[in-house]
Structure formats: C-alpha cells, structure tokens
Amino acid sequence: MSYSVELHQVGMTFGATRAVDDVTFIVEGGEFFSILGPSGCGKTTILRMIAGFLQPTEGRILIGGRDMAGLGPNQRPTAMIFQSLALFPLMPVWENIAFGLEARGASKAERRRKADELLKLIALEGFGDRMPGELSGGQRQRVAIARALAVEPQVLLLDEPLSALDLKLRQHMRAELRALQKRTGVTFIYITHDQSEALAMSDRIAVMSAGVLQQVGAPRDLYDNPATPFVATFVGETNAISGKVMAVENGIASVETGLGVLRGRAGPGVSAGQGAKLYVRPEALVPGAGGDNTLSASIERIDFEGAFALAHGRFDDGAALIASIPSTDLSSAPEIGSRASFGFASSHAVVLPDG
Ligand SMILES: Nc1ncnc2c1ncn2[C@@H]1O[C@H](COP(=O)(O)OP(=O)(O)OP(=O)(O)O)[C@@H](O)[C@H]1O
Ligand SMILES: [Mg+2]
C-alpha cells in the first residue's frame, strides 16, 4: 500500500510574498497527481513543504496519515526529483543510481544489485557502466528517476522533470513515467506548467494560480467543467464571450452578449443579473449555422497545425475567435477575409460569473 499525502490549510509566506495561501487537497495512495499552474504560482514551494525542505507557515501536512511537522527530508517517506536535475558526471550510471543507498549502509554488492534491478525497470539494462555524458537527455532523465526510486520512497515528488527535453522525447517520457508509476504503485506528485502534459499523464490535477488552489479534478472533468475563469482559460484553448446572465433554467444559462443571446451550461455560482462569460472550446465551434447557438466572425487567418487547422478571426465586438477544424474537413473551412458562421451546442459551452 502506498501512502496518501494530505495538505490541510497549508500556507507559506516569504517576507512580503504570499507564495501559498490556504491550500487543502488530499492525494490518494498510488495516485498520479499533478500540480499545474503558471510560473511563480507556488508549485515548487508546495513540493518542498511536502518533502520537508521547508516548514509551512500555517497548516498541516500528513503522509500516510502521519503528521510531518518538525520532520526533515531524511525522516520522510519521500524522494524528490528537482527542477534542474543533476547526475554526478564523474560517476558511472550504476553508482549514480545507488548513491542514496551508501549512506544507508548498503554494501557495494548490494548497491550494484539494486542498481541493476532499477536499470531493468527503466529499460536501460546494461547501461550501468556508462558515464552520464554517454547517455541521451531522456536516458539521463530516467537515471535520475531510478536514483530517486532506489531509496524506495512511498511518495515520489517530481518538479518539472521533462521541461528540458524536446517535444518528441517529452511525449515518449510521459508514457514511460506513467507506465513506471503504475508498475511501482508509488504515489507520484508531479509538477508542470504544461497543461497538455498534465492532461495526458494524471489521474487528477490541482490547478493553482498566484498561490491559490483553483480546482482539483480528473483531466476530463477540468476540461469539460472548469469551476473558475482561470481554469477555463488556462487548461486548453477557449473562446470567452462577455455578457450578462438573463436567466438560468434546467442548468442552462442564457447570456445577453454583444453577439446576441447565447446559451451554455451554468457553472458554479451563476445566477440571473450577473456579469458573466460564456466559454466555448475551439473544437466545439462547427463551421456553418447549426446547434443551439450561432456566432459569426470575420476570418483573419488559418493556421495549419497538422491534425487540425486553427481559424483565427474577430467577432463584431472586436473579441478574438478561435475555431479548430479537423484536417480531414478542411474543404469546409471558411475563406480568409470572409465572414463565417459557426454553430455550437449549449451543452458544449459553460457560463461562469466574472471573478
Ligand atoms: N526562498 C524564497 N524566498 C523568497 N521568495 C520565494 C522563495 N521561494 C519562492 N519564492 C517566491 O514564492 C513564489 C512561488 O515560487 P515557486 O518557486 O513555488 O513557484 P513555481 O510555481 O514553482 O514557479 P516555476 O514554474 O517558475 O518554477 C514566487 O513569487 C517566488 O518568487
Ligand atoms: Mg518551480
């Protein structure tokens, strides 16, 4: 059984900076849990508090049900992989992996055996006698992960471990990390500012903004049911159309906008009379009229992205439009410079009050 991690009303203040404000969430044992948010929002600070490198100014942290107050990093069942990982360049791969075991009194033969076992786990069998400089970036990344796993942590804390890799390698490593997590059953807490990475890898995601927890949910849930304007715009692309709520009926809000009355699912806290925005994803906009709502815009450019193309345009009130069109349907794409209509279903849009 791997350990759960609980944060209860955790806060951290550095001088005048409120880095983390009243954050509460529970990570289940064996879960792949991500913390997603822009630079400076407090992600690393949360991880360092869980690892014991920082003591929170307020609140409690429990790991495996046990209060961690006053315990240092070596007394916690955690291991951390840092944002800028570093292997020891003059040490062969196997010694890098077994590094943490020496302090625990393991003999050289034991350390070698453990390192070889972990090399197999990260699919680098036979690489133990190479030097770090003789590995690719992705292979070095896997060695850093093996080194963290060597001390048999219950909880592995990963701070943007893939950010230095190119896109192809990053995508490959996502799948590898995910498989490794399932194979070991270790609880992973994974930090990233890359929303597609968080969506692809996680069981659940916590979204942070400026030290404040915005929402915790499964990837699909965050994408389809954002609870705050920040989550609606940070997780995935979206169109935001401003207006005023006229009525809410059967969970559908009617919003009077500069583009006419539009309807979408009412998010948390929406009521008649409020200023609000309707959010609709680029892939929910279908060229041509149709669905429960129709919008029109002038098309400024179409960017071909491979699997799909993105049409960029302007609504009559000057706001930006973005619509995605599958490459197989490009013949239905509007002409650049033309006015085009797009339809969408109310069930594909969400309405949230202005924050
Ligand atoms: N030791 C420190 N002393 C003072 N301020 C700090 C300290 N560590 C972090 N901060 C501040 O706390 C805030 C949160 O920092 P943190 O490193 O947690 O952000 P982050 O979400 O990890 O960002 P990034 O994605 O850039 O790594 C920032 O405003 C940062 O400047
Ligand atoms: Mg950070």
Side-chain angles (χ1 to χ4, degrees), residues 5 9 30 46 59 109 117 151 166 192 217 242 248 267 274 290 296 339 343 355:
V5 176
Q9 292 165 314
I46 288 185
E117 193 183 302
V151 297
D166 67 48
T192 180
S242 293
V248 182
Q274 277 174 330
S296 61
R339 275 189 72 76

Side-chain angles (χ1 to χ4, degrees), residues 8-332:
H8 295 286
Q9 292 165 314
V10 167
M12 185 74 213
T13 303
F14 298 108
T17 306
R18 186 73 173 149
V20 174
D21 189 27
D22 195 22
V23 166
T24 298
F25 61 72
I26 297 177
V27 181
E28 311 285 346
E31 194 171 23
F32 195 122
F33 188 91
S34 294
I35 303 176
L36 172 67
S39 183
C41 74
K43 304 181 297 293
T44 297
T45 303
I46 288 185
L47 223 58
R48 291 175 70 210
M49 290 191 287
I50 296 171
F53 293 105
L54 276 176
Q55 296 291 335
T57 350
E58 302 96 32
R60 297 193 311 144
I61 295 176
L62 279 67
I63 302 181
R66 200 168 143 225
D67 197 323
M68 292 286 121
L71 298 182
N74 295 329
Q75 296 163 296
R76 300 193 181 195
T78 52
M80 182 154 166
I81 297 173
F82 293 92
Q83 206 158 359
S84 51
L85 87 129
L87 299 178
F88 303 112
L90 303 178
M91 228 182 235
V93 162
W94 82 266
E95 282 187 40
N96 262 286
I97 292 174
F99 184 74
L101 299 174
E102 197 168 357
R104 302 185 176 208
S107 70
K108 186 170 178 188
E110 279 173 81
R111 282 182 276 135
R112 179 76 210 214
R113 191 186 49 73
K114 184 74 188 174
D116 285 341
E117 193 183 302
L118 284 161
L119 280 164
K120 205 181 285 177
L121 186 74
I122 58 169
L124 286 179
E125 212 172 351
F127 283 64
D129 293 311
R130 287 213 202 175
M131 300 304 277
E134 297 168 321
L135 301 179
S136 74
Q139 290 168 338
R140 276 199 291 272
Q141 207 75 46
R142 279 185 267 166
V143 172
I145 291 159
R147 183 167 69 185
L149 289 171
V151 297
E152 297 183 0
Q154 293 283 344
V155 178
L156 190 58
L157 307 168
L158 305 102
D159 194 350
E160 310 218 22
L162 307 184
S163 56
L165 305 179
D166 67 48
L167 179 65
K168 262 276 174 269
L169 196 50
R170 211 156 64 223
Q171 286 173 339
H172 173 71
M173 285 298 295
R174 281 179 192 171
E176 293 231 346
L177 265 183
R178 178 84 189 147
L180 188 71
Q181 191 268 333
K182 288 291 160 237
R183 206 148 66 224
T184 57
V186 170
T187 308
F188 273 38
I189 303 183
Y190 186 93
I191 284 187
T192 180
H193 62 263
D194 178 339
Q195 46 100 7
S196 60
E197 192 166 291
L199 292 174
M201 294 175 82
S202 318
D203 293 316
R204 284 189 309 149
I205 303 169
V207 182
M208 300 269 307
S209 164
V212 176
L213 180 65
Q214 296 275 323
Q215 190 174 358
V216 180
R220 207 47 218 272
D221 191 31
L222 291 181
Y223 193 78
D224 291 341
N225 302 303
T228 69
F230 180 84
V231 176
T233 51
F234 189 75
V235 180
E237 296 272 358
T238 195
N239 294 281
I241 302 161
S242 293
K244 189 173 167 187
V245 179
M246 293 160 57
V248 182
E249 263 175 69
N250 300 324
I252 297 291
S254 307
V255 184
E256 184 157 35
T257 76
L259 311 172
V261 175
L262 300 173
R263 291 182 180 80
R265 287 179 293 120
V270 170
S271 58
Q274 277 174 330
K277 287 190 180 65
L278 177 136
Y279 298 90
V280 58
R281 300 281 182 198
E283 67 272 21
L285 295 179
V286 180
D292 321 321
N293 300 278
T294 304
L295 290 171
S296 61
S298 50
I299 302 303
E300 294 178 337
R301 56 173 224 275
I302 295 185
D303 294 344
F304 179 65
E305 305 254 345
F308 56 90
L310 286 179
H312 293 267
R314 296 260 154 227
F315 296 117
D316 289 344
D317 67 355
L321 158 105
I322 178 165
S324 91
I325 299 158
S327 292
T328 44
D329 297 345
L330 269 182
S331 57
S332 73

